[in-house]
Amino acid sequence: MADRSVFGGGAPWSRLFIPVGVFLAVFGVLNFAELPLGWKDRQQQVGRYLDATLELGPDWVLPVIWFAKLVELALGLLAVAALVRRSTRWLAAAVVGWLGWFTAFTVMDVWAADRVELQEHTVYFAMFAVLLGLIFVVSVVERVLASRP
């Protein structure tokens, strides 16, 4: 039996996904590349988070920063792979990855009582949710148009 889900194996690629994929790729790669620019601020922010939430000392700041940046780079590279392969499933996976990532940041913001960061990460979450909805709707429309005689 054929997979009829939108993000199944036969989900059609639309040219409308190209700007979404480019955005995701650039967003991920630039998030990784900006590390040297805000190094001191990032250290202080992660230090506050770790202290307020998990009560971890400064020895954990550097590994956590590198882990976060590598996850963001991986999500950007997943978007590049989606563009190269013209894969709707991989593009949706990149967006879902970002949604999960910003959910984790939002939880940390609530736990650390950082309202400014909470607002920022909530806006990012909402925008990525819109992107996932866009991919879903465009995939459905492309499938319907492809099935018409």
Side-chain angles (χ1 to χ4, degrees):
M1 179 179 241
D3 185 7
R4 296 280 183 209
S5 68
V6 173
F7 294 130
W13 178 265
S14 171
R15 68 174 189 257
L16 297 174
F17 294 155
I18 294 171
V20 173
V22 169
F23 166 74
L24 292 173
V26 170
F27 188 74
V29 171
L30 287 182
N31 267 321
F32 178 78
E34 65 89 28
L35 182 59
L37 299 176
W39 181 250
K40 189 169 231 157
D41 293 334
R42 205 52 85 198
Q43 279 182 307
Q44 291 171 351
Q45 180 184 21
V46 170
R48 281 193 319 269
Y49 273 174
L50 293 177
D51 187 46
T53 58
L54 302 173
E55 297 178 4
L56 294 174
D59 294 340
W60 286 89
V61 172
L62 184 62
V64 168
I65 290 173
W66 277 107
F67 173 75
K69 292 302 172 181
L70 289 174
V71 167
E72 293 169 351
L73 179 63
L75 290 170
L77 294 176
L78 181 60
V80 170
L83 285 168
V84 169
R85 294 176 52 109
R86 300 176 67 90
S87 172
T88 305
R89 184 182 301 178
W90 285 27
L91 188 64
V95 174
V96 169
W98 281 109
L99 283 170
W101 194 238
F102 284 114
T103 298
F105 277 126
T106 301
V107 168
M108 293 288 284
D109 295 334
V110 169
W111 196 358
D114 190 342
R115 290 185 179 160
V116 173
E117 291 294 323
L118 176 62
Q119 290 172 347
E120 177 185 346
H121 293 138
T122 302
V123 168
Y124 277 124
F125 179 88
M127 296 310 296
F128 282 101
V130 167
L131 282 178
L132 186 61
L134 174 76
I135 292 169
F136 181 80
V137 169
V138 170
S139 293
V140 168
V141 169
E142 290 285 336
R143 185 176 293 267
V144 168
L145 291 176
S147 69
R148 291 176 61 186

